[in-house]
Structure formats: C-alpha cells, structure tokens
Amino acid sequence: MASPGKLDTRGSDFARLARQITDAGLLDRRPFYYAIRMTIMAAVYLGGWALFIWLGDSWLQLLVAVALAVVFAQLGFLAHDLGHRQVFRTRRPSDIAGLIIGNLGIGLGWGWWTTKHNRHHANPNHEDHDPDVSPAVIVWSEDQVARSNGLPRFVAKYQAYWFFPLLTLEAWHLHIASVKALFKPEAKRRGPELTMLVTHFVLYFGLVFTILPVGKALLFLIVHQGLFGIYLGSTFAPNHKGMPILTAEDKLDFLRKQVLTSRNVRGGLFTDVALGQLNYQIEHHLFPNMPAPNLRRAQPIVERYCAEIGVDYLQTGLVESYGQALRHLHEVGAALRRPLPIQGA
C-alpha cells in the first residue's frame, strides 16, 4: 500500500481515480472497434435467420435456436453499451442504434430498459432504489423475506435452486415488461418504440410459424427464448448478487457505493466476449461511459487505487461468483426453512 504522502490528495477519492483514468486515455471513444463489432453482429444476426429459412422443417432448427439465443444476448450487450453512450457521444445516434438493435432486433424495449438500468447504476444493490433487487419473485435480503408474501415467499424458501430454472422465463418477462412500459404515462417515444416492438414480434412469430409446423415452432420458441433468458441472467448474476445490500442507513460516497456492491469475474478473452466485458463490473460501474474494450486496461489501475485507499475490491472466478450468489440466496431464505415452534412447548 502506498503511503498517504504519495497519493494525489486533491478532490474526492473518485475524482483522483478519474484523473488517472482520463490521463490514460481510457474514456476516449473506440469507433473502429464498435464499427467492426456492429458489422459482425449484423452479419451473424441476418445469417442466422437466413440459415433458419434455408433449413426449413428440420429438427436441426433447435441448434439454430441455440445459436440465435447467443446472438440475441450479444446484441443485448451492444444495446447496453449504446445506452451508456460508450459508442456515440451524443444522444440521437445512440437512440437510433439502440432502438434498431433493442426493439426491432431482439424485441426488448430499449428506452424502458435503459431507464431502469440507469436507476440501477445510480444506486446499485439498494433495497429502496435499485429495480434489480426489488422482490418481484426472488428476494435479496432477510428484511425482504420478512416482508414477503405470496409467490416471492414461496420461492424464497429454496430460491437458490429456483434461480436458474426461473431464468428460462427472463426473456419473456423482459418482452412483456417492454410492452407494458410503453402504456405508462411517463413513456417516451411511444409511437416509434411500439411500432418497432410490434414489427419485431410480427416478423419473429410469423417467420417461426411459417417455416415450422406448430409443434416444432413451439419447441423452437421454448429453446430460443429460454436460453436467451438464461444467458442474459447468467451474465448479470455474477456482478452484484451476493454482494452487500444497501439500505437508507448506509451512507457511502460514490466510489465506495459502486465498488463495494460489485464483483469482477476473472478470465481471458473468452470470458470477456461471453460476458460482454461486463465481467469488469467494478470498472464499468465507476465509469459507465467507458468503451467496453477499455475496461480490461482500466482494471489494474482501479484495483491498485482501491488498495491504496483501503477499499475492498472483489474479483473471483466465474464458477465461484455463481457460488457466492447462490449461497447468499440460500442464506437469505434460511428463516423460512426453520421448523415452526410447537404451540405450548
């Protein structure tokens, strides 16, 4: 650990780190990288559907469903980067590209999801303010368990075992939530967003049920959407699940709020690509507009700085990250597994 005299003491802890990151050029845009990435994803997306049409009535379509689940998730990562202005500096091109990829391409409401995701970034793992830890089905803290009833309470008892099976429904949940959000009074761009979503679903279901008989079509949908949901959920789960849950009593500065509630996942190029480079979750939360390919370069700078100022920085392997998340979910539901006291005993 560096001595305090060697640290830049101007401004907040985050401001000093931000200066290092800026001086290293890590907030600079990467237009060539994103141009190549978008071109590849467009080709793979169109090629996947061309293969689907070419194969016709075949059981091999289930392999296409698996491949398209991966493609849809990767497009989701690209839409995520657009939402954080990692690709373009201004709003308009980000909105246009995000709507095309999100609403039209994969059937997820880009405007709704971006708003929700920005709320998560502002208050990660906060019981009252982070929509990603609201107890809709899974409960994330013992306080939420105590207040739960109905389905969340039923699931919470053994929710660590339910977690991955429930992810098979995540894509459907996101589709439905995307449409429902557009009928709320605060919805923006209702016309364009709804038009693109409806167009996606008409083309998607129309193509699947035109090419395949009903039985195979339904099985294709189950495999494709189920794996799409599992992939998305499995990518975001290692980032915050099992990390501290914040309440109104917790008063943390920006840097600590982001670092202490996030977890990085170690890995090489394969892990980076498979997780959309969101395995550098700490760096991403500190600098959400940092282009994704720069996160790997920022990681050692952030880790070293956290060590210098005495802030815990957690980085694990992928399997261990799931283990920590699932153990947390199981511990949260422990009270519901205890036998009820015998009356009069």
Side-chain angles (χ1 to χ4, degrees), residues 51-90:
L51 178 61
F52 176 86
I53 295 171
W54 180 77
L55 280 176
D57 181 4
S58 168
W59 287 108
L60 291 175
Q61 295 286 22
L62 297 183
L63 295 179
V64 177
V66 174
L68 282 175
V70 175
V71 173
F72 271 46
Q74 287 290 329
L75 284 171
F77 300 152
L78 191 51
H80 165 273
D81 291 3
L82 285 161
H84 283 298
R85 308 277 186 88
Q86 296 177 18
V87 185
F88 304 106
R89 290 187 182 278
T90 57

Side-chain angles (χ1 to χ4, degrees), residues 131-180:
D132 289 352
V133 293
S134 61
V137 178
I138 299 291
V139 292
W140 308 101
S141 70
E142 293 179 357
D143 288 342
Q144 288 183 345
V145 169
R147 300 192 304 266
S148 66
N149 52 56
L151 181 60
R153 190 171 185 85
F154 171 79
V155 171
K157 190 173 183 179
Y158 293 105
Q159 61 184 0
Y161 300 99
W162 282 104
F163 184 71
F164 285 106
L166 284 172
L167 288 182
T168 61
L169 304 175
E170 178 64 13
W172 296 109
H173 161 70
L174 293 173
H175 293 315
I176 294 170
S178 297
V179 175
K180 288 173 62 178

Side-chain angles (χ1 to χ4, degrees), residues 64-234:
V64 177
V66 174
L68 282 175
V70 175
V71 173
F72 271 46
Q74 287 290 329
L75 284 171
F77 300 152
L78 191 51
H80 165 273
D81 291 3
L82 285 161
H84 283 298
R85 308 277 186 88
Q86 296 177 18
V87 185
F88 304 106
R89 290 187 182 278
T90 57
R91 179 182 295 276
R92 183 171 176 78
S94 300
D95 284 350
I96 293 172
L99 289 170
I100 292 172
I101 293 173
N103 292 53
L104 187 60
I106 60 178
L108 298 185
W110 187 77
W112 160 76
W113 185 84
T114 300
T115 300
K116 181 178 83 75
H117 189 61
N118 286 338
R119 288 169 55 204
H120 156 71
H121 267 263
N123 290 284
N125 269 24
H126 195 291
E127 277 194 347
D128 301 321
H129 304 301
D130 184 355
D132 289 352
V133 293
S134 61
V137 178
I138 299 291
V139 292
W140 308 101
S141 70
E142 293 179 357
D143 288 342
Q144 288 183 345
V145 169
R147 300 192 304 266
S148 66
N149 52 56
L151 181 60
R153 190 171 185 85
F154 171 79
V155 171
K157 190 173 183 179
Y158 293 105
Q159 61 184 0
Y161 300 99
W162 282 104
F163 184 71
F164 285 106
L166 284 172
L167 288 182
T168 61
L169 304 175
E170 178 64 13
W172 296 109
H173 161 70
L174 293 173
H175 293 315
I176 294 170
S178 297
V179 175
K180 288 173 62 178
L182 291 175
F183 290 94
K184 295 181 178 180
E186 65 270 20
K188 299 178 181 178
R189 297 186 301 263
R190 181 179 290 111
E193 289 225 27
L194 187 58
T195 298
M196 287 187 176
L197 278 177
V198 170
T199 301
H200 169 83
F201 293 129
V202 169
L203 293 175
Y204 177 75
F205 289 112
L207 186 61
V208 171
F209 282 97
T210 297
I211 298 296
L212 298 176
V214 174
K216 285 181 182 174
L218 291 174
L219 192 55
F220 179 93
L221 294 178
I222 291 171
V223 172
H224 177 230
Q225 294 294 331
L227 290 179
F228 178 29
I230 290 174
Y231 191 169
L232 284 181
S234 297

